[in-house]
């Protein structure tokens, strides 16, 4: 009875009732019965109490953990605010450094690949190319250089991988071309040329930057010799501006001419025909195109520039009349009705004055006398961009040496 405190009153009532005491032998059994029942009920209630206590402890721990997490989240600084603070501390150049690094990587790669070491934009102009952010301090310049070096290494590795893929695909496409299959309709040929074109687009963007919706351009510096009839009147210097075709149509032809311009050594217009002005091209590019890349969306109209020969290149010509029939699909051979000269781009400056002057070279067709040629002294690669020296939204990416080293 002492152990069952919750039922003490009940047992006192039972033990205090004489009627139950007078029952004799029945009392012990009756008492035991009550004792057992009351003890069982008490154990159940005790277990339930312990369960409730455990539950209260668990809920309390969960609530405590949630409170700690909330407090840490409130006290921890906002990462965006921290980034903005860093930008303010560093002069606001964080984003610009990244852009400058990319621009530097592109320009450094163009200069490192070629033996002729073309001139490129100075580092002081990189901020303008990347979006501009002021003069900066020497510490900022050193930091930008360090970022650029890491970016250049990564970009160089990526470019080397893509360049290797382009070289391998070019070898395969050349092998197909030698079989004399009509590549414009052969399923395997179309598959391989498509892969080559896609890889070449990627390589162009890595090496020369992404032009976006614009096209790359080439400026040619010409030199007329005293044999030209109007030399005394107009002098020796002139320029042509060539806008290359969209890489979405003919990336292999465009990339080939960018490489010609980047590694340009010397050349000259040496053929004065009735329909074209053809030029010699001396650069690191000595092979012809791997296949006759052509798009019906970019035909050989007057003012366009194409590669000479079948297979085409590296010599090129300016069409001084519509040459859709002379150099378009099915021309110059009977085996393949789809084959055409590879096309490069269109003359957008100099077509009305400089090109007619070239056409006045003394002599017709191929001119043997070099003193009568119109020399191509230099080639400049122009890419979309703003900054010092930009013209019509283009800046100079590189230029070939005016005088080649011995």
């Amino acid at each position: 009875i002492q152990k069952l405190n919750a039922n003490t009153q009940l047992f006192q009532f039972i033990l205090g009732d004489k009627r139950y005491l007078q029952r004799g032998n029945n009392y012990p059994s009756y008492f035991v019965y009550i004792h057992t029942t009351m003890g069982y009920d008490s154990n159940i209630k005790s277990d339930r109490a312990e369960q409730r206590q455990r539950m209260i402890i668990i809920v309390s721990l969960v609530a405590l953990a949630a409170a700690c997490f909330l407090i840490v989240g409130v006290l921890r600084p906002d990462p965006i605010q921290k980034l903005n603070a860093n930008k303010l501390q560093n002069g606001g150049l964080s984003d610009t450094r990244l852009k400058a690094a990319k621009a530097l990587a592109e320009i450094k790669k163009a200069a490192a690949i070629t033996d002729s070491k073309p001139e490129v934009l100075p580092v002081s102009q990189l901020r303008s190319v990347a979006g501009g952010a002021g003069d900066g301090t020497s510490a900022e310049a050193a930091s930008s250089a360090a970022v650029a070096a890491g970016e250049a290494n990564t970009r160089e590795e990526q470019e080397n991988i893509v360049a290797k893929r382009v070289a391998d695909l070019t070898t395969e496409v050349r092998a197909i071309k030698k079989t004399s299959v009509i590549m414009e309709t052969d399923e395997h040929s179309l598959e391989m040329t498509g892969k080559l074109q896609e890889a070449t687009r990627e390589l162009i963007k890595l090496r020369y930057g992404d032009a976006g919706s614009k096209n790359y351009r080439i400026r040619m510096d010409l030199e007329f010799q005293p044999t030209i009839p109007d030399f005394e009147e107009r002098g020796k210097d002139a320029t042509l501006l060539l806008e290359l075709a969209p890489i979405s149509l003919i990336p292999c032809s465009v990339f080939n001419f960018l490489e010609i311009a980047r590694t340009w050594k010397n050349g000259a217009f040496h053929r004065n025909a009735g329909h074209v002005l053809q030029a010699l091209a001396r650069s690191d590019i000595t092979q012809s195109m791997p296949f006759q890349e052509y798009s019906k969306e970019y035909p050989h109209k007057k003012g366009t520039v194409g590669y000479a020969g079948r297979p085409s290149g590296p010599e090129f010509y300016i069409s001084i009349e519509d040459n859709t029939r002379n150099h378009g699909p099915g021309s110059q051979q009977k085996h393949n009705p789809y084959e055409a000269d590879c096309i490069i781009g269109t003359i957008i400056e100099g077509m009305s004055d400089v090109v007619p002057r070239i056409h006045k070279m003394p002599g017709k067709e191929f001119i043997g006398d070099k003193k009568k040629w119109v020399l191509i002294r230099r080639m400049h690669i122009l890419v979309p961009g703003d900054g010092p020296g930009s013209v019509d939204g283009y800046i100079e990416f590189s230029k070939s040496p005016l005088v080649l080293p011995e």
Side-chain angles (χ1 to χ4, degrees), residues 122-171:
V123 177
S124 60
Q125 296 183 16
L126 288 178
R127 289 195 181 93
S128 298
V129 176
D135 294 332
T137 64
S138 58
E140 290 166 353
S143 177
S144 296
V147 174
E151 178 70 19
N153 291 336
T154 303
R155 196 179 189 86
E156 181 179 2
E157 292 174 0
Q158 187 178 4
E159 182 182 329
N160 289 338
I161 293 172
V162 178
K164 178 64 166 56
R165 185 161 74 247
V166 169
D168 292 341
L169 289 169
T170 298
T171 300

Side-chain angles (χ1 to χ4, degrees), residues 54-74:
R54 292 192 192 100
M55 184 60 65
I56 291 172
I57 292 172
I58 293 173
V59 171
S60 299
L61 291 175
V62 172
L64 180 61
C68 293
F69 180 79
L70 181 61
I71 292 172
V72 171
V74 172

Side-chain angles (χ1 to χ4, degrees), residues 73-146:
V74 172
L75 296 178
R76 186 176 58 185
D78 187 354
I80 296 179
Q81 293 179 353
K82 185 177 180 181
L83 177 60
N84 292 334
N86 289 337
K87 286 185 178 181
L88 292 175
Q89 185 178 1
N90 296 328
L93 296 176
S94 298
D95 294 336
T96 303
R97 287 173 182 167
L98 180 58
K99 294 179 181 178
K102 293 181 179 180
L104 178 63
E106 294 173 0
I107 295 173
K108 286 179 66 179
K109 277 303 300 171
I113 296 173
T114 175
D115 295 332
S116 58
K117 298 181 179 178
E119 299 176 22
V120 297
L121 283 175
V123 177
S124 60
Q125 296 183 16
L126 288 178
R127 289 195 181 93
S128 298
V129 176
D135 294 332
T137 64
S138 58
E140 290 166 353
S143 177
S144 296

